[in-house]
Amino acid sequence: MSEVSETTPQPVQAPHPGGPAPHPGAPHQAVPAPHQGPDAVPAPGAPGSFPAPYPPFGGGAPGFPEAAVAPGFPEAAQPGRTPLAPPAPQGPFAPQPPHIASVPQTAEAGQPGPGPQAASAPQAGQASPGPQATPVPQAAHAAPAPQGTQGGTQGASAPSAPQGAQAATGLPRTLQYRFDGPEDAPVLVIGPSLGTTWHMWDRQIPELSQHWRIFRYDLPGHGGAPAHAAASVAELGDRLLATLDGLGVQRFGYAGCSIGGAVGADLALRHPHRVASLALVASSPRFGTADEFRQRGVIVRTNGLEPMARTAPERWFTPGFAAAQPAIVEWAVQMVRTTDPGCYIAACEALAAFDIRGALGRIGVPTLVLVGAEDQVTGPAEARTLVAGIPDARLALVPGASHLAPVEQPAAVSDLLLMHFSTAWQQDTSAAIPVLPHITAPAAPSTPFVPVAEIAPAAATPDAVAPTPDDRYEQGTKVRREVLGDAHVDAVNDTADAFTEDFQELVTRYAWGEVWSRDGLDRRTRSVITLTALVTSGHLEGLAAHTRAALRNGLTPAEIKEVLLQTAVYCGIPAAGAAFAVAQKVIQEETTPPA
């Protein structure tokens, strides 16, 4: 059941009579057609250069740092660069979303982020952002922002924002968001990557907002947003749609980076009638392995976010850029440090479960797959997998960029997005996409678009019907991999032969498909019981695997220690001593941050 958004939608006015106005300037090289010609799109201008310096830190979560503190950072726009001039969408498919009127901000207090606060006062004629807004102060020489919806006012000492930034309520069904650009322009939704805020797109806004109404959002617990963790990529998509529904936005373009791209792909699969065009930036149909992301969650649960913050620059930027732009590197580290750890862990779990490799052929909207040539997280190989699987997809390879290509090569990314969304919306393909009714009950088996990675609605009662034997085996395989990890299960399967395979099937079907899958106890509690039983029975050969499982299931090393201390009282000192030796080794392996 959808919950009420933090704002009350205003009456919808007549649609905008036309698409976005063309942007004057010289034409730019178009994105190559799928599987034709080189896939490298040269960046306009020298690699690593920026058309204008970043604004200073804002409140809530850090914005881009001042250019003056970054050696070699240009202080003015590139004099020889003319922005790309995209053609205006034509025909019946030209996007015409409803006009979104200004909405007063609610008085509900939010959760301000721990980032440094800006000290500037509101500019004349501008309203301050709402209580949970993350303002973006304007540098004196930055390009002027287009006028748009303003947020509600607060104290006179609050910093000004060029556009209204809306704050999500404490209810977990909506997301913290902000708008930039003309109120009557088509809506383009932009999603962030894990550990970042909407500020990662700051350098694209001046150009994109000339043509579209830009809607940016923060992930839960990021950028000062309420820390209501989302358990899956599908749940993030549902919260995004609930937020857009409350604003009267029905059809939109979507661009997202990393997990933000996963949200866009999920929406294109489950709600194809809502997404007009799609851009997947540094994204993948499956992010690494489930084991990698679940171990990342274990490290954060044990050590906090500092290990992730410390290693973020090497994951996000090329070495040359990181050395030349230390202020931006520090800005990136601050974004991670100000994220809520529980929401970060939940996002890792969501990525661990995300896998749409078998569903790519059902993405029926024009798609740009954009990736940095030096991305070591979701690199060109993952991008080519997306292009090969999505019927109407094109690949753009950005040289001199790693995972956060919008930050490292902002001019190239802006031009590619302008070209893609300006041309992709010209063709009217909406008639070929079935418009599905919005339902909360599970979709019927005959529904052509099956939800991907969707959490079962609260009204569903999966235990009402007993699973068949085959269902138990499939469920057991899934739970066994989630708890023990792919590496452990693969090793067991690899060593199975005709003599042991029936026993492994028995274990999978009944231990994991029935007992571990029951709703009566959560997995944390089951891990506590299992550790105790293994120590009691002296079966320490399974203790290492289940210590790892306990960490994955949310137990901390301190809690595991308490479990083993309890067993020392009731099971004996020698048994507990042997268990401590096994558990200590596993905990050191699993919780030690990467060097």
Side-chain angles (χ1 to χ4, degrees), residues 30-62:
V31 179
H35 313 295
Q36 296 178 3
D39 53 13
V41 180
S49 59
F50 288 81
Y54 294 92
F57 286 95

Side-chain angles (χ1 to χ4, degrees), residues 454-545:
E454 188 176 36
I455 294 178
T461 55
D463 290 334
V465 178
T468 65
D470 287 342
D471 290 337
R472 285 194 291 265
Y473 183 81
E474 294 300 323
Q475 175 69 9
T477 299
K478 176 177 179 293
V479 174
R480 192 178 189 183
R481 288 185 175 277
E482 290 175 352
V483 174
L484 295 179
D486 289 332
H488 176 88
V489 176
D490 289 341
V492 170
N493 291 339
D494 289 343
T495 58
D497 55 20
F499 184 72
T500 61
E501 62 183 0
D502 289 342
F503 173 72
Q504 290 301 327
E505 181 177 348
L506 176 73
V507 171
T508 300
R509 187 186 308 279
Y510 292 104
W512 297 100
E514 290 196 2
V515 176
W516 272 88
S517 298
R518 292 176 63 86
D519 294 331
L521 296 174
D522 59 35
R523 290 185 183 176
R524 280 173 49 90
T525 305
R526 292 189 187 278
S527 281
V528 170
I529 296 170
T530 303
L531 292 177
T532 304
L534 289 172
V535 176
T536 304
S537 61
H539 295 304
L540 299 184
E541 66 277 3
L543 187 62

Side-chain angles (χ1 to χ4, degrees), residues 5 9 35 61 119 121 142 181-183 226 230 288 338 361 377 386-387 400 417 425 449 474 528 579 584 586:
S5 177
H35 313 295
E183 296 182 13
T338 57
V377 180
L386 288 168
V387 172
L417 293 178
W425 282 357
F449 291 92
E474 294 300 323
V528 170
Q584 181 183 37
V586 171

